Amino acid sequence: MSDFQYEDLLRSVLEDGDFRPDRTGTGTYGIFGAELRYDLSFDFPLITTKKVHFKSVVGELLWFLSGNTNTRFLNENGIRIWNEWADQDGQLGPVYGAQWRAWPGRNGSRIDQIAELIENLKSDPFSRRHIVSAWNVSDLDQMALAPCHMMMQFHVREVEDMMTGGHSKVLSCKVIQRSADMFLGVPFNIASYALLVHMIAQQVGMGVGELIWSGGDVHVYSNHIEQVESQLKRKILPFPKLILKPADSIDDYTFDHVELVGYNPHPAIKAPVAV
């Protein structure tokens, strides 16, 4: 069932969305409030009704996790998705990576939210405070683009192991995305957070559970209507599987650790990015 959720929501936005002016001047058709749920233990939620450039998904996530906020690493790996917002030196201000790995604390300190998350998942797995935020109000005016996917909350559940009769822990994540570009952005975002759940679960010795994606302003840009209509005519194909090779720490993952098996999507559909 999960294979169809994205396309069902995309169709709903197209059919039921209200027209709204937006920051870019392009205009969108949108609804407010939506949720998608994916069982990560079964397959990997990378949509198949159009090809998603998975190398860009992996590269951007590695870039976030490195704490980097300059596009140089991305461009060196053929990833140009942030170029429209960067200045002439490739700088973006304190966007995701800075907030995840070096949130400004008191007296000049820096808080590594990802490192703290991993440590807390190990020491206090059933806490309700496993949260990472990118929405730093005091830094918003310095960012080239305010965070769209702005917060994630992790949840640990104990499940029975049918093979051994014992119990094991599985890790789930809920992502809150204030602004959700359904055609270009959301397929990318879902895959990125699904990969992050796999990485963190591996680092804390847990299985993977669900990815729950929660969108606020869920929209289709007015100049993507033709592309969306074309996409929705395509047959939905099975999701791929993910193979994630072990890494010593969350900082040690590379492109070589990540492999997709069985990803056979329909061709990509190009569309302009609203900046």
Side-chain angles (χ1 to χ4, degrees):
M1 176 182 176
S2 62
D3 296 25
F4 294 82
Q5 290 182 81
Y6 165 78
E7 284 78 11
D8 287 346
L9 178 55
L10 185 60
R11 182 175 288 104
S12 176
V13 172
L14 198 63
E15 294 177 352
D16 303 327
D18 298 322
F19 180 78
R20 293 168 60 82
D22 79 302
R23 170 187 56 81
T24 72
T26 307
T28 66
Y29 290 88
I31 62 174
F32 185 63
E35 184 174 282
L36 303 172
R37 303 181 78 107
Y38 296 97
D39 181 354
L40 302 182
S41 68
F42 182 67
D43 50 23
F44 188 81
L46 189 63
I47 68 162
T48 60
T49 46
K50 66 169 187 176
K51 184 177 182 180
V52 177
H53 191 237
F54 189 60
K55 181 182 178 182
S56 293
V57 173
V58 177
E60 185 195 49
L61 180 57
L62 295 176
W63 179 65
F64 289 162
L65 289 171
S66 74
N68 199 335
T69 58
N70 187 288
T71 58
R72 187 177 302 109
F73 167 83
L74 298 176
N75 290 332
E76 287 172 352
N77 287 282
I79 302 168
R80 313 199 183 280
I81 53 177
W82 278 90
N83 285 5
E84 287 87 352
W85 291 279
D87 67 16
Q88 60 183 7
D89 298 317
Q91 299 290 349
L92 292 155
V95 293
Y96 298 98
Q99 304 306 329
W100 284 15
R101 305 309 305 263
W103 180 288
R106 294 189 184 95
N107 302 319
S109 65
R110 294 286 170 176
I111 301 167
D112 187 337
Q113 294 190 82
I114 298 296
E116 289 196 357
L117 170 70
I118 291 171
E119 181 56 37
N120 291 335
L121 283 168
K122 292 177 180 177
S123 63
D124 189 12
F126 301 115
S127 171
R128 295 184 291 269
R129 301 180 180 183
H130 298 311
I131 290 173
V132 174
S133 176
W135 191 263
N136 187 339
V137 176
S138 66
D139 278 357
L140 290 177
D141 62 351
Q142 301 175 55
M143 300 179 189
L145 183 66
C148 293
H149 39 102
M150 60 186 198
M151 192 182 84
M152 48 182 146
Q153 180 176 2
F154 288 82
H155 174 85
V156 177
R157 184 167 64 96
E158 216 166 45
V159 298
E160 185 176 358
D161 189 324
M162 302 302 291
M163 297 293 290
T164 66
H167 290 81
S168 59
K169 294 181 178 67
V170 297
L171 183 68
S172 295
C173 177
K174 179 171 183 175
V175 178
I176 297 176
Q177 185 160 342
R178 64 166 183 90
S179 178
D181 172 358
M182 281 296 293
F183 181 72
L184 286 180
V186 171
F188 200 96
N189 304 139
I190 289 170
S192 179
Y193 278 96
L195 178 56
L196 181 62
V197 175
H198 276 272
M199 289 178 172
I200 292 178
Q202 191 175 83
Q203 290 302 311
V204 297
M206 298 182 190
V208 291
E210 284 188 294
L211 175 68
I212 302 158
W213 176 91
S214 180
D217 190 305
V218 181
H219 53 264
V220 170
Y221 279 97
S222 60
N223 58 347
H224 293 171
I225 300 297
E226 183 178 339
Q227 290 93 332
V228 170
E229 290 175 339
S230 175
Q231 182 180 354
L232 288 173
K233 293 175 182 176
R234 294 175 168 182
K235 180 182 178 181
I236 297 171
L237 303 169
F239 281 156
K241 305 288 186 183
L242 176 73
I243 297 175
L244 182 64
K245 298 174 184 176
D248 290 337
S249 77
I250 195 67
D251 301 311
D252 292 322
Y253 288 105
T254 67
F255 288 100
D256 292 336
H257 285 86
V258 184
E259 181 183 353
L260 273 187
V261 178
Y263 187 48
N264 299 298
H266 292 274
I269 302 175
K270 292 185 178 182
V273 176
V275 179

